[in-house]
Amino acid sequence: MSDKLNIGIIGAGRISRVHTPLLAQRVPRARVKKLCDLDLDKAHALGDPLGLPVCQDYREIIHDPEIDAVFILSSTNTHVPMALEAAKAGKHIFCEKPIDHDADEIRRVISAVEQAGVKFQVGFNRRFDRHFAQVKKSVDEGLVGEVQIIKITSRDPQAPPMSYVETSGGIFADMSIHDFDMVQFLSGAQVVEVSVLGACLINPAFAQAGDVDTCVISLRLDSGALAVIDNSRQAVYGYDQRLEVFGSKGCVTADNQRVDNTSFLNADTSTQEKPLWFFLERYADAFLYEDISFVDACLDDRPTLIGVKGGLTPILIADAAQKSCQAGGIPVRVASE
Amino acid sequence: MSDKLNIGIIGAGRISRVHTPLLAQRVPRARVKKLCDLDLDKAHALGDPLGLPVCQDYREIIHDPEIDAVFILSSTNTHVPMALEAAKAGKHIFCEKPIDHDADEIRRVISAVEQAGVKFQVGFNRRFDRHFAQVKKSVDEGLVGEVQIIKITSRDPQAPPMSYVETSGGIFADMSIHDFDMVQFLSGAQVVEVSVLGACLINPAFAQAGDVDTCVISLRLDSGALAVIDNSRQAVYGYDQRLEVFGSKGCVTADNQRVDNTSFLNADTSTQEKPLWFFLERYADAFLYEDISFVDACLDDRPTLIGVKGGLTPILIADAAQKSCQAGGIPVRVASE
Amino acid sequence: MSDKLNIGIIGAGRISRVHTPLLAQRVPRARVKKLCDLDLDKAHALGDPLGLPVCQDYREIIHDPEIDAVFILSSTNTHVPMALEAAKAGKHIFCEKPIDHDADEIRRVISAVEQAGVKFQVGFNRRFDRHFAQVKKSVDEGLVGEVQIIKITSRDPQAPPMSYVETSGGIFADMSIHDFDMVQFLSGAQVVEVSVLGACLINPAFAQAGDVDTCVISLRLDSGALAVIDNSRQAVYGYDQRLEVFGSKGCVTADNQRVDNTSFLNADTSTQEKPLWFFLERYADAFLYEDISFVDACLDDRPTLIGVKGGLTPILIADAAQKSCQAGGIPVRVASE
Amino acid sequence: MSDKLNIGIIGAGRISRVHTPLLAQRVPRARVKKLCDLDLDKAHALGDPLGLPVCQDYREIIHDPEIDAVFILSSTNTHVPMALEAAKAGKHIFCEKPIDHDADEIRRVISAVEQAGVKFQVGFNRRFDRHFAQVKKSVDEGLVGEVQIIKITSRDPQAPPMSYVETSGGIFADMSIHDFDMVQFLSGAQVVEVSVLGACLINPAFAQAGDVDTCVISLRLDSGALAVIDNSRQAVYGYDQRLEVFGSKGCVTADNQRVDNTSFLNADTSTQEKPLWFFLERYADAFLYEDISFVDACLDDRPTLIGVKGGLTPILIADAAQKSCQAGGIPVRVASE
């Protein structure tokens, strides 16, 4: 393999508008060969300013012998067939989360990737956030001792349109899935049981879609530790992303990142900046580090930080959460991989 | 009634060593007439330096015609008979929490107090903490809008001796009960359902005593809001008492109180002071405000902030929590008052 | 000497309303025997609710054989004659700052006190603030290494009435004097040179009174270290009392103390509580510790934390600052003790 | 002019390694045409990975008709001749600070630039720091009212090698110059008088070089406001860059930026991350915004944020500071432009 990783990108939508400029300009060892989208106008709109060749058919990318790795950034329902085809073609694969809403479909990808012996990385970008990565490092270094409680607050600044909600797979597969991954990442343990209280407090349309907009999730890990997550679809003050790991020797906490470090005092009030608005701002650096990490893993033949199996367990937890929520909070065991 | 409230204090143990000096010296409208304890030495040890007359028999206090109000600070199993007797004698009553571990016993006190028409205050001192009181004020002023999620972290710095644990009534009646009261206080709503994951992660002796030392508690309120509490019997860094109320218009948070506001930076590290060690430090002022509030309510004939019914519901929640925990997290409805 | 220190208090004005209740109720080893004020009504207003005997003539206090120590809390111009008389009478002396505006007058007190062999403490209350005391402790333990820069921000929330300003001795003797003491306290070194830029930015009446309302003060210490103070008579957001000590090994900082630890976030803003309003709030505990420290030093025959000489040097620095300010910032050497 | 600005870069040293990758990859409207350095190996080392043509002679850049603007990033002593030549050639100029140590030389550049009618920007990168820019915005919006005191702490994490110090022009021209610019930027006023106490507390070699390593600087502005700066060549805990603007209506503060927002608590200590290490980390974004701002000003024909005159006054203040320091703190008036 050359000193740069030749990359093809599938999809020119919202998340591609995050990854593509990074891969084209800021990931030192990446070389983007081509960008495709069924909607050729979208492909041009994103690729032209970056000087990237575009195409309409993703097969042109998967079967291009000069391409080493593909970024699957298209809609969720296309992930599995593309991943299977890419694995068969011997390409390394970066796939946005979730791989699929159906665990069995993900298991098919696992088989294909293992058989092909290619690298696979799921887009759990938060693992690359430097604040959370520092928490993980503290845990790994033993600073907190035995992990006892993991606490995550994860609230979006505004609810997505209901059209999105209806096909999102529900709050657990769409939103909490990041937190499920984070619980396992930080603890190094597996979630075995989930109990959820859910509610519709923001918009009754969520209930009509069979979904909730607010929930508190309790989890039991196979290490014996407990975890608790609270999610809301709408925190009017901005993206609320805090977590802590509490253990026998101490507690490490990651706070929100504010727009800047200024503060203001006058006769009436004392104000500070609010948290960064949403994931594009909060995880801007994390997306970059995520892409660098994948490219480096491919070129240096090292395991990716979140392999294809890492895409399965959060879905299994989400399934259990969904069942628990619908059953009014009864604890549900997570299915085995 | 005179311009000062004449007070008799029953009990000279740990919690009396907090209240008695405050009542004797720092509550402007209080006048302590007498202090009693079965162990007369203990009564002298506490009362003598404060110039307080002491006695052994609590009946001397309850039936002293010069005494307007009694502070029942003795062990939990004595609360109900003393409260019943004091109510019958027409005394106002301040009673440490919990009134009792048995809801029916508490109901007897409720009847007696209502019949006698005396004031009654339960010792939920945290309501008088100025940080939490400010959170409550923000909620009441509508700053957070509709309450959606209440989140409480409440961890003790060190586990009590197992002898204490065995008669404590369990973590929910002994420790979480403060948090149950706080959820209802902050939200102005009633808890209707509880779901608990518990674990023994600190000391297996808790399990042997039929108790847990770590838990995450999810609650559903009759307003529709959710709440989540995480408790630990041992946070090695000190008393961890943080909470937040999140709602449709914003979020208000109370952080721990540190020993002082200094911080230190050197080539190796950046340090700040740790949280105050335990409840005596953290709630020192709260105990004072609590006593002042009770004395003022009696003298000015206003309702106390936490009446006798306020002592019942947290016990009912604790009962439900206990059942849920033992059933592995199945949600349990809170019994009606 | 008995196990309690018998105290007479001279003055029932503003600062006495701070000390007298503390001495009467909260300093365990203090016993207030009598309170005097030329204005007998004021003495009654303060003393009666505390059950203290009052008198009009301070000589009754100084010559009362049962009194061990006097608190001189009357107006500055009375400090020296009273201190001289009290020293002659063999009484220990607590004297509010400044002892006098005239260095030679203070030197007379020094002689008298040394001759009489009595304890003397000047009312630099800030040394007893737990935040600043912690900074001092860090310096003494060597955490910051060699002290290189001391930085103090000290701003009052509102300017005093001009009637007060006119007899205050000027901003340096009235306000900066606390900071001069603090620089020497924290560094353990002597100020040798002062340079001041002053300005009237708040109220031109200060200029008419020959004073300034805003200043930045640079100081050189005999250890070689530098210090910088900024003062303002009016910080509209409250009492601004921050300081830091920077040295070869690190930096220790004391931040303001806020009313409480809550914070609030909504769609528009993120707010925290403001600093405590003024010295009565900010230094409430410091006054108590100050009084306890004095009483203990007398009873245990240990040196006070700030002896009578400690009242002289800040005045000498203030004199130099005044000259430098009037000379437009030319550095002025501090006169020798 | 085309839709991109064609840029030639002179110098491939330390500061060029900051700007060149930004201009080549991250400033959307910039197109780097060529990079030159007398040391051709250095030019290749920096330019080749970025795909930039390189040359040895800066004249090739200045006289390239395809180049619109030059970045003068070479050593200070080359700034003036190159700027004069570039101005004559009609190129827009970005010049690192300081333009020169000699005010008259800077005046020559001012004339040349005005005559040529080209854009000129001095590299005061801190103005583009988002924290300080927010402070400036607050001041401009009137939030602090009339500015009364500006307070800047600016300390480097480690002293430069003495070889650097000897040709640096001294601490005031090399280091404080950023703070002088910041005082004028934030206040919108001119410094008229400077008073400095300096000391050698870190390394006596500074004294041997006729320099100081620690100083406190007081400044008087033509608006009447005061400012105070404290500088140290060595803060062992990292780059200390804090400032505040205090005025009649309030106070706005910018704190250091920490490596991340995590904090850790255990039985011994409470720690947070330290400040970012040095200017490359702290001002990484500021350099980018600085370059974007210059490129936009050229393309859109708007004034740059810091024109060529903005390079003169800080040098005049530095001259006055140097004189004051050598005279032991006597205030020195700043020469007129």
Side-chain angles (χ1 to χ4, degrees):
Chain A
M1 193 171 284
S2 79
D3 61 336
K4 293 225 176 185
L5 188 74
N6 291 311
I7 290 169
I9 298 173
I10 301 172
R14 186 174 70 161
I15 201 68
S16 182
R17 286 198 294 275
V18 175
H19 286 288
T20 300
L22 294 174
L23 290 166
Q25 300 181 317
R26 298 188 59 196
V27 178
R29 300 170 82 193
R31 183 187 294 121
V32 181
K33 301 293 281 190
K34 207 176 275 189
L35 166 68
C36 85
D37 199 291
L38 263 179
D39 180 342
L40 208 51
D41 288 346
K42 266 170 92 173
H44 277 295
L46 177 57
D48 290 359
L50 296 165
L52 301 179
V54 303
C55 62
Q56 196 171 13
D57 186 350
Y58 76 92
R59 289 185 195 87
E60 273 188 47
I61 288 197
I62 287 183
H63 298 291
D64 182 335
E66 286 195 351
I67 283 177
D68 306 313
V70 297
F71 272 66
I72 302 177
L73 310 178
S74 42
S75 60
T76 300
N77 61 323
T78 68
H79 289 176
V80 170
M82 285 178 184
L84 293 175
E85 196 168 342
K88 207 171 167 189
K91 306 303 187 198
H92 299 307
I93 301 164
F94 178 101
C95 181
E96 262 307 320
K97 69 98 219 173
I99 301 178
D100 198 86
H101 293 141
D102 184 303
D104 282 333
E105 288 296 299
I106 302 175
R107 288 188 183 101
R108 288 178 63 205
V109 178
I110 293 176
S111 300
V113 164
E114 285 180 348
Q115 220 168 338
V118 295
K119 309 281 179 197
F120 191 102
Q121 185 169 318
V122 193
F124 284 121
N125 56 294
R126 293 184 196 173
R127 291 198 183 196
F128 299 90
D129 175 70
R130 72 177 193 280
H131 312 280
F132 296 167
Q134 177 61 31
V135 171
K136 168 67 171 166
K137 188 160 164 275
S138 299
V139 173
D140 286 351
E141 287 172 348
L143 292 184
V144 305
E146 300 276 316
V147 172
Q148 295 172 341
I149 301 172
I150 292 179
K151 193 174 75 170
I152 297 180
T153 286
S154 178
R155 302 169 187 156
D156 283 354
Q158 55 189 9
M162 290 317 295
S163 58
Y164 175 91
V165 169
E166 280 153 16
T167 64
S168 69
I171 192 170
F172 307 108
D174 182 56
M175 188 174 156
S176 320
I177 191 172
H178 277 291
D179 307 308
F180 298 147
D181 178 64
M182 191 55 62
V183 166
Q184 300 199 139
F185 173 60
L186 293 175
S187 65
Q190 294 291 310
V191 173
V192 292
E193 203 175 35
V194 192
S195 166
V196 179
L197 294 190
C200 279
L201 303 175
I202 296 161
N203 189 343
F206 278 94
Q208 288 155 19
D211 203 355
V212 297
D213 54 33
T214 306
C215 61
V216 297
I217 305 171
S218 302
L219 307 106
R220 196 186 295 274
L221 308 188
D222 61 3
S223 64
L226 304 176
V228 60
I229 298 164
D230 71 275
N231 290 139
S232 168
R233 284 287 194 182
Q234 182 184 291
V236 294
Y237 49 85
Y239 204 34
D240 197 344
Q241 298 282 301
R242 290 170 287 159
L243 56 81
E244 74 182 57
V245 182
F246 170 80
S248 57
K249 291 190 181 165
C251 184
V252 59
T253 307
D255 206 348
N256 280 316
Q257 199 177 351
R258 294 174 182 273
V259 173
D260 61 54
N261 291 329
T262 61
S263 52
F264 175 65
L265 271 165
N266 70 7
D268 297 320
T269 187
S270 163
T271 60
Q272 291 195 310
E273 286 290 341
K274 293 193 299 173
L276 292 172
W277 175 246
F278 208 171
F279 70 98
L280 292 180
E281 294 81 15
R282 173 67 167 84
Y283 294 120
D285 286 348
F287 284 113
L288 174 61
Y289 300 144
E290 174 181 56
D291 289 349
I292 290 173
S293 176
F294 173 71
V295 168
D296 287 352
C298 291
L299 290 173
D300 302 338
D301 195 15
R302 286 186 286 102
T304 60
L305 189 58
I306 325 150
V308 60
K309 281 188 179 171
L312 176 59
T313 45
I315 282 292
L316 297 172
I317 303 170
D319 284 347
Q322 177 70 10
K323 281 180 200 146
S324 174
C325 184
Q326 284 172 341
I330 288 175
V332 174
R333 289 197 68 79
V334 175
S336 63
E337 291 180 16
Chain B
M1 193 168 288
S2 80
D3 61 338
K4 294 225 176 185
L5 188 73
N6 291 312
I7 291 169
I9 298 174
I10 301 172
R14 187 173 69 159
I15 201 68
S16 182
R17 286 198 294 274
V18 175
H19 286 288
T20 300
L22 294 174
L23 291 166
Q25 301 182 316
R26 299 187 60 196
V27 178
R29 302 168 81 191
R31 181 186 296 121
V32 181
K33 299 293 281 189
K34 205 175 278 188
L35 165 69
C36 86
D37 198 292
L38 263 178
D39 180 341
L40 208 51
D41 287 346
K42 265 169 94 174
H44 277 294
L46 177 58
D48 289 359
L50 297 165
L52 301 178
V54 302
C55 62
Q56 198 172 12
D57 186 351
Y58 76 91
R59 288 185 196 86
E60 275 188 44
I61 289 198
I62 287 184
H63 299 290
D64 182 334
E66 287 195 351
I67 284 179
D68 306 311
V70 296
F71 273 66
I72 302 178
L73 309 178
S74 43
S75 59
T76 301
N77 63 321
T78 67
H79 290 176
V80 170
M82 287 179 182
L84 293 174
E85 196 167 343
K88 207 171 165 189
K91 306 302 186 197
H92 299 308
I93 302 165
F94 178 101
C95 181
E96 262 307 317
K97 69 98 216 170
I99 300 177
D100 197 86
H101 293 141
D102 186 301
D104 281 333
E105 289 296 300
I106 301 174
R107 290 188 183 98
R108 289 178 62 205
V109 177
I110 293 177
S111 301
V113 165
E114 286 180 347
Q115 221 168 341
V118 295
K119 308 281 179 195
F120 191 100
Q121 185 169 321
V122 193
F124 285 121
N125 57 292
R126 294 184 196 172
R127 292 198 183 196
F128 300 90
D129 174 71
R130 71 178 193 279
H131 311 281
F132 297 165
Q134 177 61 33
V135 171
K136 169 68 171 166
K137 187 161 165 274
S138 299
V139 174
D140 285 352
E141 288 171 348
L143 291 184
V144 306
E146 299 276 317
V147 173
Q148 295 171 342
I149 301 173
I150 292 180
K151 192 174 75 171
I152 297 181
T153 286
S154 177
R155 303 170 186 154
D156 281 356
Q158 56 188 11
M162 291 315 298
S163 58
Y164 175 92
V165 170
E166 280 152 18
T167 62
S168 68
I171 193 170
F172 307 109
D174 182 55
M175 190 174 156
S176 320
I177 191 173
H178 278 290
D179 308 307
F180 298 146
D181 178 63
M182 191 55 60
V183 166
Q184 300 199 143
F185 173 59
L186 293 176
S187 66
Q190 295 291 309
V191 173
V192 290
E193 202 175 35
V194 192
S195 165
V196 178
L197 295 189
C200 279
L201 304 176
I202 295 160
N203 189 343
F206 279 94
Q208 286 155 22
D211 204 353
V212 296
D213 53 33
T214 306
C215 61
V216 297
I217 305 171
S218 303
L219 308 107
R220 197 187 293 275
L221 308 188
D222 62 2
S223 64
L226 304 176
V228 60
I229 298 164
D230 70 276
N231 288 141
S232 168
R233 281 287 193 182
Q234 182 184 288
V236 294
Y237 49 85
Y239 203 36
D240 197 344
Q241 298 283 300
R242 291 169 287 159
L243 58 79
E244 72 183 57
V245 181
F246 169 83
S248 56
K249 290 189 184 165
C251 184
V252 60
T253 307
D255 205 349
N256 280 315
Q257 199 177 353
R258 295 174 182 272
V259 174
D260 61 52
N261 291 330
T262 62
S263 53
F264 175 65
L265 271 164
N266 70 7
D268 297 321
T269 188
S270 163
T271 59
Q272 292 195 311
E273 286 290 340
K274 293 195 296 173
L276 292 172
W277 175 246
F278 209 170
F279 70 96
L280 292 180
E281 294 82 14
R282 172 67 166 86
Y283 295 120
D285 286 349
F287 284 112
L288 175 61
Y289 301 143
E290 174 182 55
D291 289 349
I292 290 173
S293 175
F294 173 71
V295 168
D296 287 352
C298 291
L299 289 173
D300 301 338
D301 195 16
R302 286 185 287 102
T304 61
L305 189 58
I306 325 150
V308 61
K309 282 190 178 170
L312 175 59
T313 47
I315 282 292
L316 297 173
I317 302 170
D319 284 347
Q322 178 70 12
K323 282 182 199 146
S324 174
C325 183
Q326 284 171 343
I330 289 175
V332 174
R333 289 197 68 80
V334 175
S336 63
E337 289 178 19
Chain C
M1 193 170 286
S2 79
D3 62 335
K4 293 225 177 185
L5 188 75
N6 291 310
I7 290 169
I9 297 173
I10 302 171
R14 186 174 68 159
I15 201 68
S16 182
R17 286 197 294 274
V18 175
H19 287 287
T20 300
L22 294 174
L23 290 167
Q25 300 181 315
R26 298 187 58 198
V27 178
R29 302 170 80 194
R31 183 186 296 120
V32 180
K33 301 293 282 189
K34 205 176 277 187
L35 166 69
C36 85
D37 199 291
L38 264 178
D39 180 340
L40 207 52
D41 287 346
K42 266 168 92 172
H44 276 294
L46 177 59
D48 289 359
L50 297 164
L52 301 179
V54 303
C55 64
Q56 196 170 14
D57 186 350
Y58 76 92
R59 286 185 196 86
E60 273 189 47
I61 289 199
I62 286 183
H63 298 291
D64 182 335
E66 287 195 352
I67 283 179
D68 306 312
V70 297
F71 273 65
I72 303 177
L73 308 178
S74 43
S75 60
T76 301
N77 62 322
T78 67
H79 289 177
V80 170
M82 287 179 182
L84 292 175
E85 195 167 342
K88 208 170 163 189
K91 307 301 188 200
H92 300 307
I93 301 164
F94 178 101
C95 180
E96 262 307 320
K97 67 98 218 171
I99 302 178
D100 198 86
H101 293 141
D102 186 302
D104 282 332
E105 288 296 300
I106 301 175
R107 289 189 183 98
R108 288 178 62 203
V109 177
I110 292 176
S111 299
V113 164
E114 285 180 348
Q115 221 168 339
V118 296
K119 308 282 178 196
F120 191 101
Q121 184 169 319
V122 193
F124 285 121
N125 57 293
R126 295 185 195 172
R127 291 197 183 196
F128 299 91
D129 174 71
R130 72 178 191 278
H131 312 280
F132 297 165
Q134 178 61 32
V135 171
K136 169 68 171 166
K137 187 160 165 275
S138 299
V139 173
D140 286 351
E141 287 172 348
L143 291 184
V144 305
E146 300 275 316
V147 173
Q148 295 171 342
I149 302 173
I150 292 177
K151 192 174 77 171
I152 297 178
T153 287
S154 177
R155 302 169 186 156
D156 282 356
Q158 57 188 10
M162 291 316 298
S163 57
Y164 175 90
V165 170
E166 279 152 20
T167 62
S168 70
I171 192 170
F172 307 108
D174 181 56
M175 188 174 158
S176 319
I177 192 172
H178 277 292
D179 307 308
F180 298 147
D181 178 63
M182 191 53 63
V183 166
Q184 300 199 141
F185 172 60
L186 293 175
S187 66
Q190 295 291 309
V191 173
V192 292
E193 202 174 35
V194 192
S195 166
V196 179
L197 295 189
C200 279
L201 303 175
I202 296 161
N203 188 343
F206 279 93
Q208 286 155 22
D211 204 353
V212 297
D213 54 33
T214 305
C215 61
V216 297
I217 305 173
S218 304
L219 306 107
R220 196 185 294 275
L221 309 188
D222 62 2
S223 64
L226 305 176
V228 60
I229 298 163
D230 72 274
N231 289 140
S232 167
R233 283 288 193 182
Q234 182 184 289
V236 293
Y237 49 86
Y239 203 34
D240 197 343
Q241 299 281 301
R242 290 171 288 159
L243 57 80
E244 74 183 56
V245 181
F246 170 81
S248 56
K249 292 189 181 164
C251 185
V252 59
T253 307
D255 206 350
N256 281 316
Q257 199 177 352
R258 294 174 183 272
V259 173
D260 60 54
N261 291 329
T262 61
S263 52
F264 175 65
L265 270 164
N266 70 7
D268 296 321
T269 187
S270 162
T271 60
Q272 291 195 311
E273 286 290 341
K274 293 195 296 172
L276 292 172
W277 175 246
F278 208 170
F279 70 99
L280 291 180
E281 293 83 14
R282 173 66 167 87
Y283 295 120
D285 286 347
F287 284 112
L288 174 61
Y289 300 143
E290 175 181 55
D291 289 349
I292 290 173
S293 176
F294 173 71
V295 168
D296 286 351
C298 290
L299 289 173
D300 302 337
D301 195 15
R302 287 186 286 100
T304 61
L305 188 59
I306 325 150
V308 61
K309 281 188 178 171
L312 175 58
T313 47
I315 282 292
L316 297 173
I317 303 170
D319 284 348
Q322 177 70 10
K323 281 181 199 146
S324 174
C325 184
Q326 284 171 342
I330 289 175
V332 173
R333 289 196 68 79
V334 175
S336 62
E337 291 178 16
Chain D
M1 192 170 288
S2 80
D3 61 335
K4 293 226 175 184
L5 188 72
N6 291 311
I7 290 170
I9 298 173
I10 301 172
R14 186 174 70 160
I15 201 68
S16 182
R17 286 197 294 274
V18 175
H19 287 288
T20 300
L22 295 174
L23 290 166
Q25 300 181 316
R26 299 186 59 196
V27 178
R29 300 169 82 194
R31 182 185 295 122
V32 180
K33 301 292 281 189
K34 207 176 274 188
L35 166 68
C36 87
D37 198 291
L38 262 178
D39 180 340
L40 207 52
D41 287 346
K42 268 169 89 173
H44 277 296
L46 177 58
D48 289 359
L50 296 165
L52 301 179
V54 303
C55 62
Q56 197 172 14
D57 186 350
Y58 76 92
R59 287 183 196 88
E60 274 188 45
I61 289 196
I62 288 184
H63 299 291
D64 183 333
E66 287 194 351
I67 285 177
D68 306 313
V70 297
F71 273 66
I72 301 177
L73 310 178
S74 43
S75 61
T76 300
N77 61 322
T78 67
H79 289 176
V80 169
M82 286 178 182
L84 294 174
E85 196 168 342
K88 208 170 163 189
K91 308 300 187 200
H92 299 307
I93 301 165
F94 179 100
C95 181
E96 263 307 319
K97 69 99 218 170
I99 301 179
D100 197 84
H101 293 140
D102 185 301
D104 282 333
E105 289 296 299
I106 301 174
R107 289 187 183 102
R108 288 178 62 203
V109 177
I110 294 176
S111 299
V113 165
E114 286 180 345
Q115 222 169 339
V118 294
K119 309 282 179 197
F120 191 100
Q121 185 168 320
V122 192
F124 284 121
N125 56 293
R126 293 185 196 172
R127 290 197 184 196
F128 299 91
D129 175 71
R130 71 178 192 280
H131 312 280
F132 297 166
Q134 178 60 32
V135 172
K136 168 68 171 166
K137 187 159 163 276
S138 299
V139 173
D140 286 352
E141 288 172 348
L143 292 184
V144 304
E146 300 275 317
V147 173
Q148 294 171 343
I149 301 173
I150 292 178
K151 192 173 76 169
I152 297 180
T153 286
S154 177
R155 301 168 187 157
D156 283 354
Q158 57 187 9
M162 292 315 299
S163 58
Y164 175 90
V165 170
E166 279 152 17
T167 62
S168 69
I171 193 170
F172 306 109
D174 182 57
M175 191 176 155
S176 320
I177 191 172
H178 277 291
D179 307 308
F180 298 147
D181 179 63
M182 191 54 61
V183 166
Q184 301 198 140
F185 172 60
L186 293 175
S187 65
Q190 295 290 310
V191 173
V192 292
E193 202 174 36
V194 192
S195 165
V196 179
L197 294 190
C200 280
L201 303 176
I202 296 162
N203 188 344
F206 279 93
Q208 286 155 21
D211 204 354
V212 296
D213 54 34
T214 305
C215 60
V216 296
I217 304 172
S218 303
L219 307 107
R220 195 186 295 275
L221 308 188
D222 62 2
S223 64
L226 305 177
V228 60
I229 299 164
D230 71 274
N231 290 139
S232 168
R233 283 287 195 181
Q234 181 184 291
V236 295
Y237 50 84
Y239 204 36
D240 198 344
Q241 298 281 301
R242 289 171 288 159
L243 56 79
E244 71 182 57
V245 181
F246 169 82
S248 56
K249 291 189 183 164
C251 185
V252 58
T253 307
D255 206 349
N256 281 315
Q257 199 178 352
R258 295 175 183 270
V259 172
D260 60 53
N261 290 331
T262 62
S263 53
F264 175 66
L265 270 165
N266 69 7
D268 296 321
T269 187
S270 162
T271 59
Q272 291 195 311
E273 287 289 340
K274 293 194 297 174
L276 292 172
W277 175 246
F278 208 170
F279 70 99
L280 292 180
E281 293 82 14
R282 174 67 168 86
Y283 294 121
D285 286 348
F287 284 112
L288 175 60
Y289 301 144
E290 174 182 57
D291 289 349
I292 290 172
S293 177
F294 173 70
V295 167
D296 287 351
C298 291
L299 289 173
D300 302 336
D301 195 15
R302 286 186 286 101
T304 62
L305 188 59
I306 326 149
V308 60
K309 280 188 179 171
L312 175 59
T313 46
I315 281 292
L316 297 173
I317 303 170
D319 284 348
Q322 177 70 10
K323 282 183 198 145
S324 174
C325 183
Q326 283 172 343
I330 289 174
V332 173
R333 290 195 69 79
V334 176
S336 63
E337 293 179 14

